[in-house]
């Protein structure tokens, strides 16, 4: 079992829809969880961090964490073509472990 | 200043060359990181410095040599690299144990 797994994608949604990105992790001792967005040819950009169970909202982005289920998700509301990118889930337990990434395409 | 900067943006080197990558941050972070990223893969951790001391070396070959001259600077010295070392090299910084912020990266090509 991989330490951090993301839904394989690619994920394609129409403009204005909700994009849902999912991630599971294997280490129950993990303490902090992050979502990074990476445009092609660019470096990862931190878009959300979440440390406790529940939801955290920031603009169009909502991160959800369920430590009992070892599950973290990212919802993007009102998706825009500019949201098209690879989304990396990362889990921190001493060091950052990344999932393989999910490619999101938002089509007009 | 909320940026991590890296130089150079691009680097082409031969297998016998010696070169260095540089990273700088002025956010007061006390942890700095080097990652390597190949196409369509997530970043792979190489080294971690915490309070200017090397705390993690992910079994990286000795042809990669990190250096942390002070709390704001991080270097990666390269020597006798192989073509398979061609990749995007990313520097990141954070408060210890907190969220990491990445620099723009150096695109390295080894001929």
């Amino acid at each position: 079992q991989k330490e951090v797994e993301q839904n394989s994608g690619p994920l394609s949604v129409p403009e204005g829809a909700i994009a849902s990105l999912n991630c599971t992790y294997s280490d129950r001792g993990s303490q902090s969880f992050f979502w990074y967005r990476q445009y092609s040819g660019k470096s990862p950009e931190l878009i959300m961090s979440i440390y406790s169970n529940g939801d955290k909202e920031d603009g169009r982005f909502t991160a959800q964490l369920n430590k009992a289920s070892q599950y973290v998700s990212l919802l993007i509301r009102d998706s825009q073509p500019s949201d098209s990118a690879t989304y990396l889930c990362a889990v921190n337990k001493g060091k950052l472990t990344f999932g393989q990434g999910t490619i999101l395409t938002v089509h007009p | 200043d909320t940026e991590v900067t890296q130089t150079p943006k691009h680097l082409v080197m031969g297998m016998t060359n010696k070169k260095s990558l540089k990273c700088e941050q002025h956010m007061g972070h006390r942890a700095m990181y080097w990652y390597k990223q190949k196409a369509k893969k997530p970043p792979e951790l190489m080294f971690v410095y915490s309070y200017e001391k090397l705390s993690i070396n992910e079994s990286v070959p000795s042809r990669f040599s990190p250096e942390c001259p002070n709390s704001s600077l991080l270097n990666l010295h390269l020597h006798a690299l192989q073509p398979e070392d061609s990749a995007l090299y990313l520097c990141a910084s954070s408060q210890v144990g907190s969220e990491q912020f990445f620099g723009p990266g150096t695109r390295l090509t080894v001929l």
Side-chain angles (χ1 to χ4, degrees):
Chain A
Q1 182 187 8
K2 290 182 184 172
E3 292 184 67
V4 181
E5 293 203 55
Q6 296 184 238
N7 44 342
S8 55
L11 177 64
S12 180
V13 301
E15 186 174 356
I18 295 175
S20 177
L21 303 160
N22 303 314
C23 175
T24 57
Y25 59 95
S26 59
D27 190 336
R28 285 193 173 274
S30 301
Q31 294 295 317
S32 48
F33 308 86
F34 307 96
W35 285 98
Y36 287 85
R37 176 176 64 197
Q38 188 170 24
Y39 293 115
S40 181
K42 302 294 187 182
S43 63
E45 174 192 7
L46 179 68
I47 53 171
M48 289 291 282
S49 54
I50 188 165
Y51 299 90
S52 54
N53 279 332
D55 294 359
K56 179 181 177 183
E57 189 174 316
D58 184 0
R60 296 186 295 111
F61 298 99
T62 299
Q64 299 173 317
L65 175 61
N66 183 326
K67 288 188 177 180
S69 300
Q70 294 175 248
Y71 174 90
V72 57
S73 66
L74 180 71
L75 299 178
I76 306 174
R77 289 182 301 282
D78 188 25
S79 296
Q80 301 296 309
S82 57
D83 294 325
S84 299
T86 297
Y87 288 80
L88 294 162
C89 172
V91 174
N92 194 357
K93 186 177 181 259
K95 61 183 183 180
L96 214 53
T97 301
F98 288 90
Q100 289 299 303
T102 299
I103 298 172
L104 171 66
T105 302
V106 181
H107 52 89
Chain B
D1 188 348
T2 58
E3 268 193 326
V4 178
T5 59
Q6 290 187 244
T7 55
K9 286 188 170 55
H10 301 275
L11 178 62
V12 179
M13 59 187 291
M15 289 190 284
T16 59
N17 293 155
K18 285 185 182 180
K19 297 285 185 184
S20 297
L21 309 184
K22 297 186 184 301
C23 174
E24 188 166 6
Q25 58 89 14
H26 293 289
M27 294 181 276
H29 291 166
R30 299 310 298 273
M32 296 186 77
Y33 312 79
W34 281 116
Y35 289 85
K36 172 183 176 180
Q37 188 176 27
K38 302 281 266 186
K40 301 190 189 304
K41 297 289 187 184
E44 292 176 44
L45 182 65
M46 300 175 72
F47 302 104
V48 180
Y49 275 83
S50 181
Y51 299 101
E52 294 103 71
K53 292 192 187 323
L54 183 65
S55 60
I56 296 178
N57 176 342
E58 291 285 285
S59 303
V60 178
S62 60
R63 57 186 184 269
F64 296 92
S65 175
E67 178 196 20
C68 188
N70 60 54
S71 61
S72 300
L73 291 173
L74 187 65
N75 299 322
L76 186 63
H77 303 297
L78 314 172
H79 173 56
L81 294 193
Q82 304 298 307
E84 59 265 29
D85 296 321
S86 298
L88 180 67
Y89 287 84
L90 295 162
C91 174
S93 73
S94 74
Q95 298 295 359
V96 175
S98 189
E99 53 205 10
Q100 295 181 25
F101 297 90
F102 285 84
T106 294
R107 178 76 58 189
L108 174 67
T109 302
V110 182
L111 300 176

